Amino acid sequence: MSRMTQQDVGRAAGPGAGRVLEGALAAAFGLVAVAMPALLLWILSPYPDDGPYGALRVAAALWLLAHGADLVRTDTLSGAAAPLGVTPMLLTALPVFLLYRVVRATGGADRRSLGLVCAGYLAVGAGAAWFTRGGSLSVEPLSAALYVPLLTLATLAAGSWVARGRPTLHPPGWTGLGERPHGPCPGAALRAAAVGVAALCGGGALLAAGALVARGGAVQDGFARLADGWSGQVAVLLLCLVLVPNAAVWGAAYGLGPGFTLGAGSVAGPVLTTAPPGLPPFPLLAAVPGEGHGGPLLWVAAGAVPLAAGWGAGWCVGRAGVPVPGTRHGAATGPGTAATAALGALGCGLAVAALAAFSGGPLGREALAAVGPTWWQAGGAALAWTALVSVPAALLVRWWRLRDPHPLLAAALLWRRGVTWCASLRPAPPQEARGESEWHSGGSRHSRWAALKEASGGLMPDFESRWRPEPPPVPPQPTSPPTAGPPAAGPPGTPPSSTPPAAAAPLTSPPRPKTRPKLPLRPTPGPGRHRRT
C-alpha cells in the first residue's frame, strides 16, 4: 500500500479504524493476487473438477499455506485425508511485502497502531480459513491459529524496526566495538549472519540448478507425465517456481552435510544417499542424486558452499572491525573481532534452522509424513561450519587491513618486493658487460679521436682528457759549493779583490705559461650516463 492510500483510509475513518482497514486491505490484496492466477487456470482448464467457488477456495487455502499453515487434502486415492504442510516460500514473500509496505507507509508506528494493523489482517485471515471449509483443500485450524499470527507479528516488528532507521539492537548499557573493543558488535554480527545465510542459500540454489541441468530429460518427462494439456503444464510450472526457494534451502542443507529426507527414513546427502520411497514424477524431484555414495566432484561442490558462507561472514566482520585501513584508531581488538564472528555464526545457525523448518513439512501420511531437511541438524551444521571458517577469516581480514592501507596498494607493494627479491638472486654481470671492455679504454679512445681529427682536416682539437691530473712538481736540484783555492790572477798591476764570488743560481724548471684550458667537445654526462676517468 502506498502512502497516498494510507492517508485516504485515515481520512475516511478514524485513526484506530484506519489502521484496522490498512491491515484488512493488505490481506485482501494478497488474496486477490493469489486468486487471479487460480481463476485463470480454472478458466483455461479443459476439464475443471469444480466451479469458480472451488477455485477460490483453493486460492484461499494456498494463501494460508504461504503463512505456514498446514492444509488437509481430502481427494486422495485412498479416500483418507492427507496433510499438506510444505510451504511455498516464494509465495510467502507476497504477504511479507504487503505488510512491510503498510508499516513503512506509517513511518514506524507505535505498538498500538501495529496491533490494530495486525487485528485487521488477522480478521481477513480468519474469514479465509472459514471460507476453505468443505473444499478439496481446507486449512487445519490449529496450525492457522499458530503460524498466521506469528508471521504477521514478526513481519510488522521487522518493518517497524526498518522504518525507524534500524536502531541499535542491544539492551541499555550495551556498548559496541567503538566503546568496548573487547566485546562483540551486534550490528556487525547481524550483517555477517545475513551474508552467511545469503551465501548458503545461493550455493544451494546453484547445486540444485546444476543437478536439474544434468538431468534435463527427467525434468521434461515429469512435465509430460503430470499434465497432458498446456494449461496443466503451466500450472505445474507455476508450482515449481514458487518452490524454487525451498529447493535452495534444501540444497544448502545438502552442502552443509546433513542433507534432507524424502520420507520413510531416507537420506539424501553428499556422503550417502539412500533409496527414497515411491515419489511422484515432480520436475524438481529430478534433482535428487541417485542412491549410493557421492564422488569427489560432488564432495568438492558441496563443500564449497559452507566455505564460501563462512568466508563471507568473516570478511564482513573483519571489515567492520577496522573501519579505516592502515590505522588502529577505532579498530576492534582481536578478541572483539572473534566474538563478533562467533555471534554472527550463531545468528546464521538460527536463521538456517528457521528456514529449514519452514521449507519442509508433511506431504501425506506414513512414508511422506516428514519431507525436507531436519531443522536442528541443518542449524547445527550451519553454526559449526560458519564458526570454524568465519572466526579465522575475520582475524585474517583484520590483520590485513591493519597492515596495509588498501588492498590494491598492498598487492602492488608485495609485487614490487617480490620482483626486487628475484632480481637479487641473479648473478652479477661480468666486467665486460658493465662497460669496461677494450672499446672504452683510454688508448682506444685516443686512436678513434686521432682518426676523426685526421678525417676532419685539422679542424678538431687534440684529444685532452677533461679530468687530466696536474703534473707533479719538479723538486729543486741541490748546487755544489765553490772550491777553495787561490784567486784568479788579474791583469798585471791589479790588486787582489777581497769580495767573495757570487753563488751560482739554482737550477729550476722554467715556469709554465698560463694558457686558457680547452673546453671538451664531448657532451656532459646526462642522468643515464656514468662518468669514467
Side-chain angles (χ1 to χ4, degrees):
M1 294 176 63
S2 63
R3 189 177 297 272
M4 186 62 67
T5 304
Q6 184 235 350
Q7 294 176 357
D8 295 340
V9 172
R11 284 194 295 265
R19 302 299 185 194
V20 175
L21 288 177
E22 289 173 12
L25 285 176
F29 288 162
L31 278 170
V32 170
V34 178
M36 290 179 62
L39 287 175
L40 181 61
L41 291 175
W42 173 79
I43 293 172
L44 297 177
S45 178
Y47 309 105
D49 296 334
D50 206 345
Y53 287 102
L56 290 177
R57 288 191 182 97
V58 171
L62 291 177
W63 182 76
L64 291 171
L65 181 64
H67 292 76
D70 293 339
L71 302 181
V72 178
R73 186 165 54 93
T74 57
D75 55 346
T76 59
L77 296 178
S78 61
L84 177 62
V86 178
T87 303
M89 299 179 66
L90 187 60
L91 200 60
T92 307
L94 178 62
V96 169
F97 173 74
L98 291 175
L99 287 171
Y100 170 76
R101 289 295 299 170
V102 170
V103 181
R104 189 66 181 270
T106 60
D110 53 359
R111 295 181 180 178
R112 180 177 178 274
S113 300
L114 293 180
L116 293 175
V117 172
C118 181
Y121 192 89
L122 293 180
V124 177
W130 176 83
F131 182 71
T132 59
R133 295 189 311 167
S136 58
L137 281 178
S138 60
V139 67
E140 188 179 357
L142 292 180
S143 64
L146 175 63
Y147 292 110
V148 176
L150 184 61
L151 180 66
T152 304
L153 290 175
T155 306
L156 290 177
S160 177
W161 175 70
V162 174
R164 286 186 287 109
R166 300 180 181 90
T168 307
L169 294 176
H170 55 68
W174 182 283
T175 56
L177 288 179
E179 302 175 0
R180 187 182 177 187
H182 293 281
C185 177
L190 183 61
R191 291 190 295 269
V195 170
V197 172
L200 285 175
C201 293
L206 290 178
L207 289 178
L212 289 175
V213 171
R215 299 177 177 88
V219 174
Q220 294 180 0
D221 294 341
F223 278 99
R225 293 174 61 183
L226 285 178
D228 297 333
W230 63 273
S231 60
Q233 294 182 1
V234 170
V236 174
L237 178 61
L238 291 178
L239 184 58
C240 292
L241 289 179
V242 297
L243 290 175
V244 164
N246 299 62
V249 176
W250 290 22
Y254 185 88
L256 288 171
F260 53 90
T261 180
L262 294 176
S266 62
V267 177
V271 179
L272 177 64
T273 300
T274 60
L279 297 175
F282 193 67
L284 289 182
L285 294 179
V288 178
E291 183 179 359
H293 299 275
L297 181 60
L298 188 59
W299 295 340
V300 171
V305 175
L307 290 179
W311 173 256
W315 177 85
C316 185
V317 172
R319 186 178 179 84
V322 185
V324 182
T327 178
R328 293 183 178 272
H329 178 70
T333 60
T337 303
T340 304
L343 186 60
L346 178 60
C348 180
L350 293 176
V352 170
L355 291 175
F358 203 71
S359 64
L363 283 179
R365 295 184 178 276
E366 297 179 356
L368 298 177
V371 175
T374 306
W375 65 271
W376 63 270
Q377 293 181 358
L383 171 61
W385 273 103
T386 311
L388 288 177
V389 179
S390 64
V391 173
L395 295 176
L396 180 61
V397 172
R398 174 186 175 273
W399 170 79
W400 183 264
R401 288 177 66 84
L402 287 177
R403 183 174 180 269
D404 292 303
H406 195 275
L408 295 179
L409 180 59
L413 292 176
L414 186 62
W415 173 263
R416 185 173 181 180
R417 292 169 188 170
V419 170
T420 305
W421 181 76
C422 293
S424 64
L425 298 179
R426 289 184 295 182
Q431 194 73 8
E432 293 186 1
R434 292 201 302 258
E436 298 295 336
S437 59
E438 288 296 331
W439 176 263
H440 299 283
S441 61
S444 178
R445 287 185 294 168
H446 278 275
S447 300
R448 293 196 301 273
W449 191 267
L452 290 174
K453 179 180 178 181
E454 182 180 356
S456 64
L459 296 179
M460 300 182 64
D462 294 336
F463 181 83
E464 183 176 358
S465 177
R466 183 177 180 181
W467 297 280
R468 184 176 60 185
E470 295 290 338
V474 179
Q477 297 181 359
T479 58
S480 60
T483 57
T494 304
S497 176
S498 60
T499 304
L507 298 178
T508 58
S509 59
R512 293 181 303 173
K514 297 182 178 180
T515 59
R516 187 175 181 180
K518 298 180 180 180
L519 297 177
L521 297 181
R522 62 179 178 178
T524 306
R529 305 180 182 180
H530 301 281
R531 297 180 178 179
R532 299 183 180 87
T533 57

